[in-house]
Amino acid sequence: MTRVTGSLRLPVTSALATIAATICLGSTFLRATWFIPSVVAVLLVTLGCELTRRFASTRAVVPLGGAVALAAYLLLRYAGDSAWYHLVPTAASLDRLDTLAAAGREDIARYAAPIGVSPGIEFLAVAGIGLVALAVDTLAVTARRAALAGMPLLVMYTVPLTVAPDGVSWLAFAIGAVGYLALLLAESRERVSRWGRPMAKISPRPNWRPEPETAPLGQVGRRVGATALGLALVVPAVIPDLNASTFGFGNGGFGNGSGGGNKVSVVNPILDLGKDLRRPQDRPVISYSGPAARLRLVGLDEFTGPQWKPSELEVSRDNNNVEDGLARPPGLGRDVKTTKTRYEVQVFDLKQTWLPLPYPTTKVSAIDGTWLYDRDSFNVFGENTSTLQLTYGVRALDVAWDPVALRNAPPAPGSFKPYLNVPKDIDPEIEAQARAQTRGLDSGYDRALALQDWLRSEEFTYSVDVQDTVGDGNGSAAILSFLENRTGYCVQFSSTMAVMARLLGIPARVAVGFLPGTPDGAGRRTVTLHDAHAWPELYFEGAGWVPFEPTPAIRTGEPPSWAQAATAGGPDGGATDPGTDANSGGAGALNPRVEERRRSDIPGLLLDTPAGPAAIGAGPVQVPVIPLLIGLGILLLLATPGVVRLVVRRRRWSGAHGAAEKARAAWADLQDTATDFGYSWLAPDTPRAGIDRLVRDRALTAEPAQAAHRLAMATERARYAPEMAEVGDLRADVDAVRSGLAGSSSGFTRWRARLLPRSTRSVSTAIGERFADGLDAFDRATARITTGLTRRPRRS
């Protein structure tokens, strides 16, 4: 058997470099569930290669050991129940792996990044990263070619650069770069150790074995690596949105840029709803056939204080597919009057992960991609897909709630307590105003009706131009500002009513979507981004989630039929027939402003739709801030040498107090001035000889020449007579020489001396030397610590 020898430094560093590089793939996936299995694959590949390397007779078979370890891990993890003893492959287990690979390839071909981590996607990711680890180990450890190992690592970076919308973040690049530099340094140390064993130092330890002195090489390597890595970190950090689109080349492939085309995909649409309503240019985003209805994107059921947001969802891919049908909405009793409706929906350039649907939908058909729904919130979201250029059919229920039943609804069960949560530190003024408006009302329905009518009253004004008062917030602070200023738009109206309802014991949430839109004259309706809207949904046992409309009529028209005072009657009953049309002034009430739009305008809007995808929050073209910042940054860099020169000169003269110090400051200032104008001083020259040559070479005459000679004389006196007397205004003499040099120089030289003075090179050199000294000190401290930890007494 071969004796186990060799160091584990290089194999371990190789594995860590691969793991560090895999972090760049994070922007390609929606979740990070692929990472831990990939790390395990890398470690097992490294272990398999190292065991084979130590016991095999030839290096050629080392990659085989790593490949066997990877194959065994993939079989155990993804098809172990079909294999003999979970490790011996069978036909069934191989078929399972083949099916997983085929499903993964289909998902990759079908969906755009960032992509969900399905079992097939995870299998391909783990297998691919394992193969990269095998290639890195083979090149860096077995073949001792660590530099070439950067090629398989680079392959992983090409994936997010090619398909991910955000490319590779600077932090992920930095981590991968550190891993690669560590691999190069580890391989270099291994290589140098084979050159021989020079006596680096004398040790009093017995049986001491001399080791090669590699500290200088390590220091140089760390200096180069730190400089390169520093530049790689500083540039993206200073310009985080830098990509190819910054310079007009379309979507970028590096940095964190958003690319072009107004492509915006947001998780919480309410955050950007105000921007859509204020956008000067309107855009059609949806066309549908069927009864007028509000198209609901998402229900925001979690109120954190600063904002409303959708809660995290965990649904089953097998049981929650919308094409299999949706369950009956929570709380909607069988005795509630409903009418079945059908819709055909066409989405234009709206890129959302939430699917716009009428509430409540019972089934979605003929839709591309995988769309899942949450049974509690009825939020429908896409897995590895979006609404962009999507068409689908919808079956839904048109619900006509009975005000009498709403008024007599029993309290909600305990499972709905999360929909009553508000932060403990919420301002008591909000609850005080809510109770003031509902004083004397017993039922939750009457309280909700009172809140709605109060917010729709003349006390409040609808306006989207509230950036200076309310802003676009939907949390506690925005609600307080809204109640104080009495001006806002749908976000503030709906948020205020939902929070007040929770404070009054009524489960509530906020829905975000679109108003019903405008008829196009051809049996369909067109919804634009100006139809974006938010409204509250309140829960009543036996009726389910019921929409209300606190936003004033100027935006929404009449409130829903079940929420109108004339229809609902008084607290004692007496409600009139709510009618059979649930959208008659109800949840699907039309926006009068939109209804006034002429039907002939709709085709024109459709023709004017831009090619790029839009979304809630995708506003018009803004001022090119990034190029402006880049230009300002370039100007700042150009101005830095000149500013440094002025600072050095000011500090030099401010620190000179006596005559000798002033003479030395004047001579140093004169040398820097002449250097700025391209003059080269010779080290052997005395001050007098240097000035003679300067006057002769630059043809200085009259006052500049005389001032230069006075400076030479003062410098010589300062060197040999420290207690010298004052010799005049030396700073004025330096200025006179500067004027003479400027007069004898070309215009380019004068501007270069002012903007890019050559004398500042000494400052940058000094800074670099101090930085290098710091690296050396850190290197020596690390070496001492490492030696102390690894030094073990040897047996005699």
Side-chain angles (χ1 to χ4, degrees):
M1 179 180 295
T2 304
R3 184 168 58 92
V4 177
T5 60
S7 172
L8 290 175
R9 180 188 297 110
L10 196 55
V12 171
T13 309
S14 171
L16 293 178
T18 306
I19 294 172
T22 60
I23 297 177
C24 73
L25 298 174
S27 59
T28 310
F29 301 97
L30 290 173
R31 299 186 301 273
T33 54
W34 58 274
F35 184 69
I36 297 300
S38 300
V39 170
V40 175
V42 172
L43 296 179
L44 290 177
V45 167
T46 303
L47 178 61
C49 289
E50 185 61 21
L51 291 176
T52 308
R53 187 180 299 112
R54 294 192 172 222
F55 291 97
S57 58
T58 176
R59 294 188 301 177
V61 299
V62 172
L64 181 61
V68 170
L70 177 61
Y73 173 64
L74 295 176
L75 182 66
L76 175 64
R77 179 174 178 83
Y78 298 102
D81 55 348
S82 302
W84 290 339
Y85 303 104
H86 297 281
L87 287 175
V88 181
T90 62
S93 62
L94 295 178
D95 288 342
R96 174 76 65 84
L97 296 179
D98 182 67
T99 302
L100 275 178
R105 289 193 298 268
E106 182 180 355
D107 287 344
I108 293 174
R110 189 173 187 180
Y111 305 125
I115 193 170
V117 186
S118 62
I121 293 292
E122 182 184 307
F123 171 74
L124 292 180
V126 173
I129 293 172
L131 292 176
V132 170
L134 180 60
V136 172
D137 186 275
T138 301
L139 292 171
V141 186
T142 304
R144 304 289 175 174
R145 296 291 186 270
L148 293 179
M151 297 302 295
L153 295 177
L154 187 61
V155 169
M156 286 196 289
Y157 281 90
T158 62
V159 176
L161 289 176
T162 305
V163 302
D166 292 335
V168 179
S169 70
W170 68 268
L171 182 58
F173 169 79
I175 295 174
V178 169
Y180 181 57
L181 289 174
L183 179 60
L184 292 177
L185 292 175
E187 194 266 347
S188 299
R189 184 167 183 176
E190 292 284 336
R191 185 183 299 274
V192 171
S193 66
R194 289 172 171 77
W195 292 353
R197 294 181 176 179
M199 295 292 292
K201 54 188 176 180
I202 298 177
S203 174
R205 290 186 289 116
N207 299 324
W208 172 68
R209 298 170 55 191
E211 296 181 357
E213 178 59 53
T214 60
L217 294 175
Q219 291 174 1
V220 172
R222 275 179 278 275
R223 289 187 182 186
V224 175
T227 302
L229 184 58
L231 290 175
L233 291 176
V234 169
V235 173
V238 175
I239 314 174
D241 291 326
L242 180 64
N243 55 44
S245 63
T246 305
F247 305 100
F249 296 107
N251 289 342
F254 55 93
N256 289 330
S258 59
N262 286 335
K263 183 168 64 174
V264 179
S265 179
V266 293
V267 175
N268 190 353
I270 198 173
L271 300 179
D272 296 311
L273 197 151
K275 298 177 183 178
D276 290 303
L277 298 178
R278 288 190 293 270
R279 180 182 299 135
Q281 225 177 14
D282 203 3
R283 298 182 184 180
V285 290
I286 301 174
S287 174
Y288 69 93
S289 63
R294 297 188 179 190
L295 299 180
R296 180 180 182 269
L297 275 174
V298 58
L300 312 178
D301 50 9
E302 185 175 337
F303 182 62
T304 62
Q307 67 174 353
W308 286 88
K309 67 176 185 178
S311 57
E312 295 184 2
L313 304 178
E314 292 186 8
V315 301
S316 170
R317 185 182 295 103
D318 299 327
N319 302 324
N320 293 73
N321 195 306
V322 294
E323 292 191 90
D324 298 331
L326 287 76
R328 194 171 182 85
L332 183 61
R334 297 290 177 179
D335 56 342
V336 178
K337 188 173 183 178
T338 60
T339 303
K340 295 181 179 180
T341 56
R342 290 177 177 268
Y343 300 87
E344 294 293 332
V345 183
Q346 179 183 3
V347 182
F348 303 133
D349 294 319
L350 176 71
K351 186 177 176 65
Q352 277 286 329
T353 54
W354 308 106
L355 189 66
L357 293 169
Y359 182 85
T361 292
T362 59
K363 188 175 184 179
V364 179
S365 59
I367 188 171
D368 292 334
T370 301
W371 293 87
L372 309 175
Y373 78 100
D374 175 58
R375 294 175 181 267
D376 294 329
S377 63
F378 255 51
N379 292 337
V380 178
F381 61 95
E383 183 183 49
N384 307 332
T385 189
S386 73
T387 60
L388 189 64
Q389 304 297 333
L390 197 65
T391 58
Y392 49 95
V394 179
R395 295 181 185 178
L397 297 179
D398 214 355
V399 185
W401 284 279
D402 182 7
V404 176
L406 295 176
R407 178 174 290 111
N408 298 325
S415 59
F416 282 82
K417 285 186 177 180
Y419 300 100
L420 297 174
N421 290 340
V422 294
K424 294 181 180 180
D425 58 349
I426 191 170
D427 196 294
E429 177 63 20
I430 299 177
E431 182 175 0
Q433 294 202 35
R435 296 197 179 279
Q437 297 300 324
T438 58
R439 186 176 293 111
L441 301 177
D442 298 328
S443 70
Y445 170 72
D446 288 319
R447 293 173 181 170
L449 197 62
L451 290 178
Q452 173 190 266
D453 293 344
W454 172 54
L455 292 171
R456 292 175 63 90
S457 68
E458 295 182 355
E459 289 188 38
F460 293 88
T461 303
Y462 178 86
S463 175
V464 298
D465 299 321
V466 292
Q467 297 96 317
D468 296 334
T469 56
V470 179
D472 289 327
N474 57 87
S476 303
I479 291 174
L480 280 173
S481 180
F482 169 69
L483 292 175
E484 179 181 354
N485 295 282
R486 293 292 202 264
T487 301
Y489 56 97
C490 57
V491 170
Q492 287 78 42
F493 283 96
S494 59
S495 300
T496 300
M497 181 170 177
V499 171
M500 287 184 167
R502 287 192 173 191
L503 292 171
L504 296 176
I506 309 171
R509 65 191 185 193
V510 174
V512 179
F514 297 94
L515 291 170
T518 307
D520 62 0
R524 299 179 67 87
R525 305 186 73 88
T526 298
V527 177
T528 71
L529 279 178
H530 279 186
D531 291 319
H533 190 55
W535 62 92
E537 295 177 341
L538 277 58
Y539 181 83
F540 296 92
E541 184 65 18
W545 289 99
V546 181
F548 284 78
E549 187 49 83
T551 304
I554 189 175
R555 167 68 173 165
T556 60
E558 292 299 318
S561 58
W562 53 85
Q564 296 183 29
T567 304
D572 297 329
T576 60
D577 183 9
T580 59
D581 186 4
N583 287 319
S584 176
L590 305 184
N591 179 0
R593 179 187 57 79
V594 179
E595 278 294 337
E596 293 174 359
R597 183 187 297 153
R598 293 175 300 175
R599 293 180 179 178
S600 59
D601 293 340
I602 299 302
L605 281 174
L606 291 174
L607 292 176
D608 292 338
T609 301
I616 292 184
V621 178
Q622 304 293 328
V623 177
V625 177
I626 297 302
L628 181 61
L629 292 178
I630 293 176
L632 292 176
I634 293 175
L635 292 177
L636 181 61
L637 290 175
L638 292 176
T640 299
V643 173
V644 170
R645 176 71 173 92
L646 293 176
V647 171
V648 169
R649 189 169 192 246
R650 181 183 295 273
R651 292 190 60 183
R652 176 180 291 153
W653 282 104
S654 62
H657 301 294
E661 291 182 2
K662 290 180 180 179
R664 285 190 287 269
W667 183 251
D669 196 11
L670 176 63
Q671 286 184 310
D672 286 349
T673 300
T675 302
D676 294 340
F677 283 92
Y679 180 78
S680 298
W681 293 91
L682 297 180
D685 282 348
T686 63
R688 191 176 305 181
I691 288 298
D692 289 340
R693 192 163 55 86
L694 174 65
V695 171
R696 183 178 62 255
D697 292 348
R698 293 307 171 97
L700 299 181
T701 59
E703 179 58 25
Q706 296 174 10
H709 285 295
R710 287 196 296 269
L711 289 171
M713 294 296 295
T715 302
E716 290 180 349
R717 291 181 184 178
R719 290 181 178 181
Y720 300 106
E723 300 299 331
M724 59 179 290
E726 294 290 342
V727 291
D729 190 352
L730 298 181
R731 188 166 185 175
D733 288 341
V734 175
D735 292 337
V737 176
R738 178 190 298 273
S739 300
L741 292 174
S744 62
S745 302
S746 63
F748 173 78
T749 302
R750 289 195 297 271
W751 278 107
R752 186 181 62 183
R754 183 178 302 173
L755 299 178
L756 299 173
R758 293 183 177 182
S759 60
T760 55
R761 293 178 182 176
S762 60
V763 178
S764 60
T765 302
I767 294 175
E769 287 298 327
R770 291 189 179 183
F771 179 72
D773 293 340
L775 289 178
D776 292 344
F778 176 78
D779 189 71
R780 289 191 296 270
T782 304
R784 285 194 295 268
I785 295 174
T786 304
T787 302
L789 293 176
T790 58
R791 180 181 298 167
R792 293 179 299 177
R794 296 181 179 271
R795 294 180 180 179
S796 56

